[in-house]
Amino acid sequence: MAHYLITGVAGFIAAGVAEQLLDSGHRVLGIDNLNDTYDPSLKEFRLKGLLSRDGMEFVKGDISDKNFVEGLGSSVKVDAVINLAARVGVRQSVEDPQSYINTNMLGTSHLLDFCVSNQVRKFILASTSSIYGDQNTLPYKEDADLIRPLSPYAASKLGAEGLAHSYHHIYGFDVSILRYFTVYGPAGRPDMSVFRFVQRISEGMPICRFGDGEQSRDFTYIDDIARGTILALNSSGFQIFNLGGDHPYKLNALIELIERRTGHRAEIEEQPRHKADMTSTWADITHAREELGWSPGISFEDGVDATVSWYESQRSWASLIITQ
């Protein structure tokens, strides 16, 4: 049995990781500032489920607060830090870049200092496919040239990766960078397309489509992402892993799939493509497959079906969640 510190534990991915670790009999100290960057009812839903489990402890706090992070070391000894706290959202980062720097870079530096001060030998950092920008070569490989991020969000995550590498180089502890590709599933983020489209199509509300819908994303189901994150705890040295569905799907294909599953026709309001949006994402997962023994196990069709089923089972309150 191991003891893990998970940041952003009420968030979508972190809650999934915590749940799988608890299922395996490990202990989890979760921290989260429970901010309102999206409807807090989802964070409350996820956290309530986690707090009903044996081995789960929660402390409210913000990783950008250095005193808070330093104070954690006096009360707990952990085997690894899994930093999944992040200010997320490509378009939103254009409006408020400073908050992304505070959480994604400054917060990461505080956690890396925590590892040094408390002799923690393993650090996992959640990163993003957004750092690849609009590159011409698909699928994206971990060794791609990353000098032109398209949004402050992507730039802040790229900066956090650089910090993590510098601490690995200086202090020698193991670091795994996980570049997630468009994660979706039950209780997912309401600012992302899958949740937003499922809700709004189910309720007969219009959906906003940026561009012509021919842009594509490498959608990855939450359970697969959580499993890959946990497998990365066993990797050594400094390594970067793409975790993606290994197959891009067009936005229009997602809309059509949700229409078939819900039995409702989408009412589409078209908006110009945002300059911070990428045209396509597609993960080369060769390294994760060879080093971690990981590959996605849930098909896109089955994942969307599970998401719609969850929404229908929680419709009494999920229909009230504010989506952007």
Side-chain angles (χ1 to χ4, degrees):
M1 179 181 70
H3 196 176
Y4 298 105
L5 172 63
I6 301 181
T7 68
V9 75
F12 180 37
I13 296 174
V17 172
E19 186 174 284
Q20 290 191 14
L21 286 171
L22 293 168
D23 286 343
S24 298
H26 299 295
R27 297 171 60 203
V28 171
L29 171 62
I31 62 175
D32 201 299
N33 66 357
L34 299 176
N35 63 43
D36 60 355
T37 52
Y38 60 77
D39 194 316
S41 61
L42 270 166
K43 295 180 182 181
E44 294 164 2
F45 173 82
R46 302 183 196 116
L47 186 58
K48 181 179 179 181
L50 290 174
L51 290 176
S52 68
R53 304 286 304 275
D54 291 338
M56 180 69 200
E57 181 184 358
F58 174 71
V59 178
K60 185 177 180 180
D62 192 329
I63 63 170
S64 65
D65 181 345
K66 186 175 181 63
N67 291 332
F68 166 73
V69 175
E70 288 178 344
L72 293 171
S74 63
S75 60
V76 65
K77 175 67 176 176
V78 298
D79 298 286
V81 170
I82 306 174
N83 182 22
L84 305 180
R87 185 70 66 148
V88 296
V90 169
R91 300 183 193 111
Q92 299 94 316
S93 71
V94 177
E95 306 300 325
D96 182 20
Q98 187 61 51
S99 66
Y100 286 73
I101 295 169
N102 289 344
T103 299
N104 300 346
M105 294 185 66
L106 187 61
T108 296
S109 73
H110 294 161
L111 291 164
L112 289 164
D113 285 336
F114 174 89
C115 289
V116 174
S117 298
N118 295 278
Q119 294 81 51
V120 180
R121 303 305 299 170
K122 180 68 185 187
F123 184 81
I124 285 182
L125 174 66
S127 191
T128 172
S129 61
S130 296
I131 67 170
Y132 288 108
D134 260 341
Q135 302 202 26
N136 294 325
T137 303
L138 291 169
Y140 298 144
K141 296 184 178 182
E142 291 91 345
D143 61 356
D145 186 0
L146 302 176
I147 61 172
R148 294 183 177 87
L150 300 183
S151 66
Y153 167 57
S156 69
K157 279 298 191 179
L158 188 56
E161 287 193 13
L163 282 170
H165 180 269
S166 70
Y167 274 70
H168 160 75
H169 174 72
I170 295 169
Y171 299 104
F173 54 80
D174 296 330
V175 171
S176 294
I177 306 291
L178 305 180
R179 293 175 180 165
Y180 298 136
F181 282 67
T182 314
V183 187
Y184 75 101
R189 280 171 43 199
D191 59 320
M192 295 189 71
S193 59
V194 176
F195 184 103
R196 189 171 72 248
F197 290 175
V198 167
Q199 184 207 57
R200 299 185 75 84
I201 292 173
S202 296
E203 304 305 330
M205 297 185 291
I207 63 173
C208 180
R209 185 181 67 191
F210 292 89
D212 60 6
E214 291 300 291
Q215 61 268 45
S216 60
R217 294 291 181 268
D218 194 348
F219 294 96
T220 321
Y221 192 66
I222 178 60
D223 291 0
D224 287 330
I225 285 290
R227 178 169 51 86
T229 301
I230 292 168
L231 286 170
L233 287 164
N234 298 316
S235 66
S236 59
F238 178 88
Q239 299 200 57
I240 300 173
F241 299 98
N242 286 336
L243 297 184
D246 200 26
H247 190 297
Y249 289 87
K250 293 181 179 180
L251 197 63
N252 286 333
L254 169 63
I255 295 170
E256 292 170 4
L257 186 58
I258 295 172
E259 286 179 324
R260 291 199 301 271
R261 178 59 180 81
T262 62
H264 295 279
R265 185 77 175 173
E267 178 185 345
I268 299 174
E269 294 181 349
E270 295 187 357
Q271 297 288 337
R273 179 189 167 198
H274 197 287
K275 288 185 177 180
D277 284 343
M278 299 165 67
T279 303
S280 301
T281 66
W282 182 6
D284 183 323
I285 60 171
T286 302
H287 186 46
R289 185 181 286 116
E290 294 177 349
E291 180 72 19
L292 304 179
W294 179 90
S295 60
I298 306 297
S299 71
F300 185 50
E301 292 78 9
D302 288 345
V304 171
D305 187 72
T307 306
V308 173
S309 295
W310 175 85
Y311 178 81
E312 291 174 346
S313 72
Q314 304 293 328
R315 192 171 184 174
S316 61
W317 66 274
S319 62
L320 304 177
I321 291 172
I322 299 172
T323 57
Q324 299 176 354

